[in-house]
Amino acid sequence: MTNKLQVSKRELRPRSLRTKLRNEGKALGVVYGYKVDSTPIVFDEMDLRKILRDHGDNALIELHFDGNKINTLVHGSETNPFTNFYQHVEFMAVKMDEETEVEADIVLVGDAKGVKEGGYLAQSLYKVTVSATPANIPERIELDVSDLEIGDSVTVADLPEDKSYTIVSEPDMHIASVNEPVAEVEEESEEASSEGEASETSSEETEESAEDKE
C-alpha cells in the first residue's frame, strides 16, 4: 500500500506566515535527499498524523509535489509539547533499491512462564537498528518471551531473523529479563539483615562475657 501525502512548496518569508499556516492546521517541513534539492514544504498535519498512526514512524511516504512523486521517509520531526501537533517535519527522499538504516520498535509478545510463577518482566531496550530497502523497513519486530523463566534474559541475538532486513545493533545488547518477585528479594534482604544483627548481638555478648571474667 502506498501512503500518499499531498504537499506544496512554501515561502520562507514573512515569519508570520508560519503562525498563520499552523493556525489553519498546516504543518511545515522540508524534503531533501536522493535527486531532490532541499525544498521547504507545507501540508495538512492531520494527513501525516493518520499515516504515522496507521503505519508507524518508518512508513514509506510518497509525496505528491508539483506533479512529481517522491518516495520519502520521515527523518526527524518537531512537535508542540502541549498539543503534540507536528510543527516541522524532515522528509528524506530515498532510492527504492538502496538500503538505509533506521530504528524499529521491539515488541515483546506472549506471557512469560516466569511471570506466571510470580516474577516480573523488565524491558530495557525498546528499539533496534535495522538496515533495509525503504519498502521492507519493519514497523516493529516482535520477540516471543513465552518460554522465559525467572532468571532468564533475552538479547538482540534472540530477535527473529528476516530476509527482508538486517539487524545492525550489537547482538549482545540486553533487551529484557524475568526477575525474581520483589517480595522475595525484600524477604531475603530482611533475613540477611536479621542474621547480621544476630551475629553482632552474639559478638557483643561474647565480648561482655569476656570482660566479666576479667
Side-chain angles (χ1 to χ4, degrees):
M1 178 181 178
T2 302
N3 301 302
K4 301 177 182 179
L5 181 65
Q6 185 68 47
V7 304
S8 303
K9 184 176 180 179
R10 65 179 171 87
E11 299 298 328
L12 297 177
R13 294 289 185 274
R15 291 180 62 88
S16 59
L17 180 60
R18 300 182 186 181
T19 301
K20 179 177 181 295
L21 290 171
R22 286 170 178 155
N23 288 340
E24 294 174 352
K26 304 290 186 180
L28 312 182
V30 61
V31 56
Y32 57 83
Y34 179 64
K35 291 187 176 182
V36 177
D37 294 330
S38 182
T39 305
I41 57 176
V42 60
F43 53 92
D44 285 333
E45 194 267 356
M46 285 300 296
D47 290 345
L48 176 66
R49 180 174 297 279
K50 185 177 187 305
I51 291 173
L52 299 183
R53 183 188 65 219
D54 295 344
H55 304 284
D57 294 339
N58 293 333
L60 179 64
I61 302 175
E62 184 181 83
L63 299 186
H64 286 232
F65 175 57
D66 282 351
N68 298 315
K69 299 176 182 179
I70 306 172
N71 291 310
T72 69
L73 297 172
V74 172
H75 193 249
S77 63
E78 177 186 337
T79 58
N80 184 298
F82 300 105
T83 64
N84 211 31
F85 184 93
Y86 284 102
Q87 294 184 311
H88 192 274
V89 182
E90 295 180 17
F91 294 91
M92 182 176 65
V94 293
K95 187 178 180 181
M96 293 302 291
D97 60 354
E98 186 175 282
E99 291 193 356
T100 185
E101 290 188 6
V102 298
E103 288 189 329
D105 292 332
I106 300 173
V107 179
L108 305 182
V109 297
D111 298 322
K113 292 179 179 178
V115 172
K116 295 177 181 179
E117 296 169 358
Y120 68 94
L121 182 66
Q123 184 174 358
S124 57
L125 186 67
Y126 293 86
K127 291 181 179 293
V128 65
T129 302
V130 302
S131 176
T133 55
N136 289 319
I137 294 174
E139 176 185 343
R140 53 193 264 174
I141 299 177
E142 296 186 348
L143 178 59
D144 189 354
V145 295
S146 301
D147 292 332
L148 292 189
E149 299 182 351
I150 294 177
D152 290 345
S153 62
V154 285
T155 65
V156 169
D158 297 306
L159 291 172
E161 295 183 359
D162 194 300
K163 294 181 180 179
S164 62
Y165 58 81
T166 302
I167 297 176
V168 178
S169 297
E170 292 297 326
D172 60 351
M173 292 179 68
H174 179 269
I175 294 177
S177 58
V178 178
N179 300 327
E180 293 182 359
V182 177
E184 289 186 10
V185 174
E186 290 178 347
E187 288 175 4
E188 291 176 1
S189 178
E190 290 175 358
E191 288 177 3
S193 177
S194 298
E195 290 175 0
E197 291 176 359
S199 177
E200 289 178 3
T201 302
S202 177
S203 176
E204 289 174 358
E205 290 175 350
T206 302
E207 291 178 0
E208 290 176 357
S209 176
E211 288 176 358
D212 290 341
K213 290 181 180 179
E214 291 177 357

